[in-house]
Amino acid sequence: MNAACHHEDGAHHGLHGQALRLALTAAETRCAASQERLTLPRRRVLELLLEAHGPLKAYDLIAAFGSGGEPAKPPTVYRALDFLERQGFAHRIESLNAYVPCRLDGRGHSAAFLICDCCGAAEEFEPDLGAGIAAAAARGYAVSAVTLEARGLCPVCQVG
Amino acid sequence: MNAACHHEDGAHHGLHGQALRLALTAAETRCAASQERLTLPRRRVLELLLEAHGPLKAYDLIAAFGSGGEPAKPPTVYRALDFLERQGFAHRIESLNAYVPCRLDGRGHSAAFLICDCCGAAEEFEPDLGAGIAAAAARGYAVSAVTLEARGLCPVCQVG
DNA sequence: ACACGCATGTTATATAGTAACATCAAGCGC
DNA sequence: GCGCTTGATGTTACTATATAACATGCGTGT
Ligand SMILES: [Zn+2]
Ligand SMILES: [Zn+2]
Ligand SMILES: [Zn+2]
Ligand SMILES: [Zn+2]
């Protein structure tokens, strides 16, 4: 969130209550199905990402980790983030050094975001990578992951 | 460059000698045309990027800055990089925290790279952003910059 | 019980990037 | 020339981001 931004927060609403519980249960289920374990720190980090209204920095997660005020140690959170990314539950937004929960029911898709430079909203979308993949193939590259980040102004922030 | 990589370096060859001088002169010319100044630290950082065989980290540039061994202070290099990016002479590769000189005669184009996870090569290409821009437009976003980074294996590293 | 693989806890450190303020140098009106 | 403005640089100190290394715990199979 840009400090100078005077607009309403255009970012995704955080989940809470029943919706949050449902999302976490769904994650549990998906982990069980793939022989992975959604352990306590992993679940906690995912919960924090789902509750948030926008991208969170690693050190925001570290600070918020404990149910009381106690922070986590950095490796705890970074390991959880690695896991969540591997499983497709979360994405790292490289140009922000920040993390979001996957809004597209994850696993194995490419990450693409529209990021508002004013209010900090980061909207995930399903990119059409046809042309990019073709360019890679033409050069003989075997592509395993693609990230696309478009910066600009969201509809709300264009107005003011 | 991955430490475990045993392949030949697939990265771009660095410029040197006459080719390097030509590239720097071209940059001078382009700056003069747009009322910008390619000052000494800016020119030096661009030279280091052009000479390199692949993406350079900011602190590599800081260490290599002095003609003798003396390093630069971080702000010197970061400011130069900001300038070079603004003018389209260089790009930051977000997923590497590293920088490359523009290989497509820069100014105002989107940055797109194929990055080899094995040997560290980073090849710039001109992306077809039609679909991505359309997705942005459909959501009302006004996009000002797009970065696309595809990770995988270059032709050389697929073989071994 | 025992060994194995994987997750976690803990300490310390490495790497990346910026704030703040002083100084300098060019352009410009006078 | 002189004083002003604007942009670039030098310098110090600091903040933010991320990882190495090693010890500990825990479930699973034998
Ligand atoms: Zn996603
Ligand atoms: Zn916005
Ligand atoms: Zn370029
Ligand atoms: Zn390679």
Side-chain angles (χ1 to χ4, degrees):
Chain A
M1 198 115 32
N2 182 330
C5 180
H6 49 288
H7 301 102
E8 285 304 304
D9 186 349
H12 202 100
H13 286 324
L15 300 187
H16 56 290
Q18 182 67 357
L20 176 58
R21 280 187 294 275
L22 271 173
L24 287 170
T25 304
E28 295 274 17
T29 305
R30 238 178 58 192
C31 279
S34 56
Q35 311 276 97
E36 299 285 349
R37 299 162 56 201
L38 190 62
T39 57
L40 197 54
R42 292 167 176 179
R43 185 187 161 99
R44 175 61 176 151
V45 169
L46 178 55
E47 181 180 29
L48 288 169
L49 291 175
L50 288 167
E51 285 173 347
H53 288 209
L56 288 184
K57 308 281 217 156
Y59 275 72
D60 294 339
L61 292 164
I62 287 167
F65 186 84
S67 358
E70 348 76 67
K73 305 290 173 62
T76 301
V77 164
Y78 280 106
R79 285 165 178 162
L81 288 169
D82 285 347
F83 172 83
L84 295 172
E85 283 194 89
R86 280 199 308 274
Q87 303 305 317
F89 290 120
H91 302 292
R92 171 179 167 84
I93 301 183
E94 299 285 354
S95 60
L96 297 176
N97 291 352
Y99 302 83
V100 290
C102 179
R103 304 289 185 190
L104 300 179
D105 195 23
R107 267 220 270 241
H109 71 96
S110 297
F113 292 92
L114 296 169
I115 302 159
C116 180
D117 285 325
C118 177
C119 71
E123 181 175 352
E124 185 173 1
F125 69 101
E126 183 69 44
D128 175 352
L129 293 174
I133 296 291
R139 289 166 175 79
Y141 268 75
V143 171
S144 58
V146 178
T147 65
L148 192 164
E149 299 178 12
R151 317 290 305 243
L153 292 179
C154 75
V156 173
C157 291
Q158 286 170 62
V159 178
Chain B
M1 196 114 35
N2 181 329
C5 180
H6 50 287
H7 302 101
E8 284 305 304
D9 185 349
H12 203 99
H13 287 326
L15 300 186
H16 56 290
Q18 182 66 358
L20 176 58
R21 280 187 293 275
L22 272 172
L24 287 170
T25 304
E28 295 274 17
T29 305
R30 237 179 59 192
C31 280
S34 55
Q35 311 275 98
E36 300 285 349
R37 299 161 57 201
L38 190 62
T39 57
L40 199 53
R42 292 166 175 180
R43 185 188 162 100
R44 175 60 176 152
V45 168
L46 178 55
E47 180 179 30
L48 288 169
L49 291 175
L50 288 167
E51 285 173 346
H53 288 209
L56 289 184
K57 309 280 217 156
Y59 275 71
D60 295 338
L61 291 163
I62 287 167
F65 186 84
S67 358
E70 347 74 70
K73 307 288 172 63
T76 302
V77 164
Y78 280 106
R79 285 165 177 163
L81 288 170
D82 285 349
F83 172 83
L84 295 172
E85 284 194 88
R86 280 200 308 275
Q87 303 305 318
F89 290 120
H91 301 293
R92 172 179 167 82
I93 302 184
E94 300 284 354
S95 60
L96 296 176
N97 291 352
Y99 303 83
V100 291
C102 179
R103 304 290 186 189
L104 299 179
D105 195 21
R107 267 220 270 240
H109 71 96
S110 298
F113 292 93
L114 296 169
I115 303 159
C116 180
D117 285 325
C118 177
C119 72
E123 182 176 350
E124 185 173 2
F125 68 102
E126 183 68 44
D128 175 351
L129 293 173
I133 296 291
R139 288 165 175 79
Y141 268 75
V143 171
S144 58
V146 177
T147 65
L148 192 164
E149 299 179 12
R151 318 288 307 241
L153 293 179
C154 74
V156 173
C157 291
Q158 286 171 61
V159 179

